Amino acid sequence: MNRDLMELFDQCTRNATDEELTALESLLLGFHKRQKGQNSSYIGGLLHMERQITEDECALTVPLSKIVNNPLGILHGGITATIIDSAMGTLAASLLPEGFGAVTTQLNIHYLAVGKGEYN
């Protein structure tokens, strides 16, 4: 496994562009955040989610970069949905007794504008 992984890494980096290397670095840093316990999930780490939670509010931010863009160069709608889902789940779970969890059973999103700026 380790040899295969190293070969894959070598293949990915051998002729990579600066943009591709930046994307790979971001993914690896996100993975490392999850390993160190800075994010509770891999998706949170890979997206570099920052979480602020109060008794009745959960705010998640994700830095906007080419990693989260769609082919049009704007924030992918699925990333927006993931952030919304994560914020709802985090807040719901925070209100439950110890040992219980919450999952989303339905999520409807009506997009009004593209995601712009430095954070979503």
Short mmCIF file of all heavy atoms in Angstrom, two decimals, residues 92-101:
data_model
loop_
_atom_site.label_atom_id
_atom_site.label_comp_id
_atom_site.label_asym_id
_atom_site.label_seq_id
_atom_site.Cartn_x
_atom_site.Cartn_y
_atom_site.Cartn_z
N ALA A 92 -27.61 20.77 15.46
CA ALA A 92 -28.54 19.76 15.97
C ALA A 92 -27.85 18.83 16.96
O ALA A 92 -28.38 18.54 18.03
CB ALA A 92 -29.15 18.97 14.82
N ALA A 93 -26.66 18.36 16.60
CA ALA A 93 -25.93 17.44 17.48
C ALA A 93 -25.56 18.10 18.80
O ALA A 93 -25.54 17.45 19.85
CB ALA A 93 -24.67 16.92 16.78
N SER A 94 -25.30 19.40 18.76
CA SER A 94 -24.92 20.11 19.99
C SER A 94 -26.07 20.21 20.99
O SER A 94 -25.86 20.41 22.18
CB SER A 94 -24.40 21.51 19.67
OG SER A 94 -25.46 22.39 19.34
N LEU A 95 -27.28 20.05 20.49
CA LEU A 95 -28.48 20.16 21.35
C LEU A 95 -28.94 18.82 21.90
O LEU A 95 -29.81 18.77 22.75
CB LEU A 95 -29.62 20.82 20.55
CG LEU A 95 -29.33 22.22 20.02
CD1 LEU A 95 -30.44 22.69 19.09
CD2 LEU A 95 -29.11 23.20 21.15
N LEU A 96 -28.34 17.74 21.42
CA LEU A 96 -28.74 16.39 21.84
C LEU A 96 -27.96 15.94 23.06
O LEU A 96 -26.84 16.39 23.30
CB LEU A 96 -28.52 15.41 20.69
CG LEU A 96 -29.38 15.64 19.45
CD1 LEU A 96 -28.95 14.70 18.34
CD2 LEU A 96 -30.86 15.45 19.77
N PRO A 97 -28.54 15.00 23.81
CA PRO A 97 -27.80 14.45 24.96
C PRO A 97 -26.55 13.69 24.49
O PRO A 97 -26.47 13.25 23.35
CB PRO A 97 -28.81 13.47 25.59
CG PRO A 97 -30.13 13.78 25.00
CD PRO A 97 -29.88 14.46 23.69
N GLU A 98 -25.61 13.54 25.38
CA GLU A 98 -24.37 12.80 25.12
C GLU A 98 -24.68 11.41 24.55
O GLU A 98 -25.58 10.73 25.04
CB GLU A 98 -23.57 12.67 26.41
CG GLU A 98 -22.21 12.02 26.24
CD GLU A 98 -21.21 12.94 25.57
OE1 GLU A 98 -21.31 14.16 25.72
OE2 GLU A 98 -20.32 12.41 24.88
N GLY A 99 -23.96 11.02 23.52
CA GLY A 99 -24.14 9.69 22.94
C GLY A 99 -25.16 9.64 21.81
O GLY A 99 -25.35 8.59 21.21
N PHE A 100 -25.83 10.75 21.52
CA PHE A 100 -26.82 10.78 20.43
C PHE A 100 -26.26 11.61 19.29
O PHE A 100 -25.43 12.49 19.49
CB PHE A 100 -28.14 11.38 20.91
CG PHE A 100 -28.93 10.47 21.80
CD1 PHE A 100 -28.68 10.44 23.17
CD2 PHE A 100 -29.91 9.64 21.29
CE1 PHE A 100 -29.38 9.60 24.00
CE2 PHE A 100 -30.63 8.79 22.11
CZ PHE A 100 -30.36 8.77 23.47
N GLY A 101 -26.73 11.35 18.09
CA GLY A 101 -26.29 12.09 16.92
C GLY A 101 -27.48 12.48 16.07
O GLY A 101 -28.60 12.03 16.30
#
